């Protein structure tokens, strides 16, 4: 079984949480028993999370050797310059080494998304922009670290696709079974 789930902001990618106070988890969303996240999506990120009950499938989806493409819509602080976009395309050096090149597109209009709760803080004097960023590796907080490294801090991060699987109209907290 493979499920697509639209993980809301500030939800853990696991079914239990031992922190105090406890954070929201996947247990609240009526997912079938026996599935688990195939990969991670940070607590403060949103969007497509694949869940499965098939260990071999989870391995194929998450093992870096398979280089499964993951596409994100990223709201960044600032107006991107060509040099910043090119740096992302070439790969940037992070504290754990250089990244692989990324696919980057400046989205001239904000994508149509659900409102985030709480909303991203709006500042009249600081512009923001949206990028579509595609990675083929999955380091811890990689998108946020890459955009910060080129001077475009991430304000909001939404994963919209993993390989051929897309978010495609799921509202936050909704899930559907995939083929």
């Amino acid at each position: 079984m493979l499920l697509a789930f639209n993980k809301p902001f500030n939800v853990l990618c696991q079914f239990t949480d031992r922190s105090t106070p406890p954070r929201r988890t996947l247990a609240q969303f009526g997912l079938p028993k026996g599935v688990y996240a195939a990969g991670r999506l940070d607590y403060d990120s949103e969007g497509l999370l694949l869940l499965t009950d098939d260990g071999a499938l989870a391995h194929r989806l998450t093992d870096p050797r398979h280089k499964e493409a993951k596409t994100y819509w990223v709201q960044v602080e600032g107006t991107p310059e060509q040099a910043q976009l090119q740096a992302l395309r070439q790969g940037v050096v992070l504290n754990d080494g250089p990244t692989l090149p990324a696919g980057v597109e400046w989205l001239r209009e904000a994508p149509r998304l659900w409102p985030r709760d709480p909303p991203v803080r709006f500042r009249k004097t600081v512009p923001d922009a949206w990028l579509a960023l595609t990675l083929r590796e999955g380091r811890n907080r990689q998108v946020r670290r890459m955009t910060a490294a080129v001077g475009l801090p991430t304000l909001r991060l939404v994963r919209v696709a993993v390989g051929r699987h897309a978010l495609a109209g799921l509202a936050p907290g909704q899930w559907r079974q995939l083929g």
Side-chain angles (χ1 to χ4, degrees):
M1 174 181 348
L2 180 63
L3 306 177
F5 174 65
N6 187 347
K7 186 189 93 60
F9 181 74
N10 284 352
V11 170
L12 278 180
C13 284
Q14 55 196 46
F15 286 87
T16 59
D17 182 33
R18 295 182 184 185
S19 63
T20 305
R23 297 169 289 184
R24 291 175 41 190
T25 69
L26 298 177
Q28 301 178 235
F29 297 97
L31 293 158
K33 292 200 182 306
V35 298
Y36 53 93
R40 294 282 177 176
L41 193 56
D42 293 330
Y43 180 71
D44 56 351
S45 297
E46 310 163 69
L48 181 62
L49 180 66
L50 298 177
L51 297 109
T52 185
D53 59 357
D54 181 337
L57 175 58
H59 179 75
R60 281 193 308 277
L61 291 168
T62 60
D63 190 302
R65 291 175 291 186
H66 297 288
K67 296 188 176 14
E68 193 74 42
K70 297 169 192 76
T71 301
Y72 302 84
W73 287 341
V74 189
Q75 184 182 21
V76 295
E77 183 178 288
T79 303
E81 296 175 7
Q82 285 306 313
Q84 293 168 307
L85 299 175
Q86 190 58 32
L88 292 168
R89 288 183 184 112
Q90 292 174 340
V92 297
V93 177
L94 302 175
N95 61 356
D96 56 350
T99 67
L100 294 175
V104 180
E105 178 186 352
W106 182 356
L107 303 175
R108 300 298 177 158
E109 292 185 23
R112 290 181 168 233
L113 289 171
W114 53 89
R116 194 185 85 175
D117 184 24
V120 172
R121 190 172 130 222
F122 174 75
R123 295 183 288 173
K124 288 182 187 179
T125 59
V126 180
D128 62 51
W130 284 89
L131 305 175
L133 192 64
T134 301
L135 305 179
R136 293 190 175 274
E137 58 185 334
R139 299 185 201 180
N140 185 40
R141 300 183 72 79
Q142 183 174 350
V143 171
R144 292 175 192 281
R145 293 190 301 139
M146 287 177 73
T147 61
V150 299
L152 297 167
T154 295
L155 301 172
R156 187 174 183 190
L157 180 60
V158 181
R159 184 162 58 199
V160 294
V162 175
R164 62 185 177 88
H165 306 292
L167 199 52
L170 281 177
Q174 290 184 334
W175 59 272
R176 71 170 167 272
Q177 189 162 343
L178 299 171

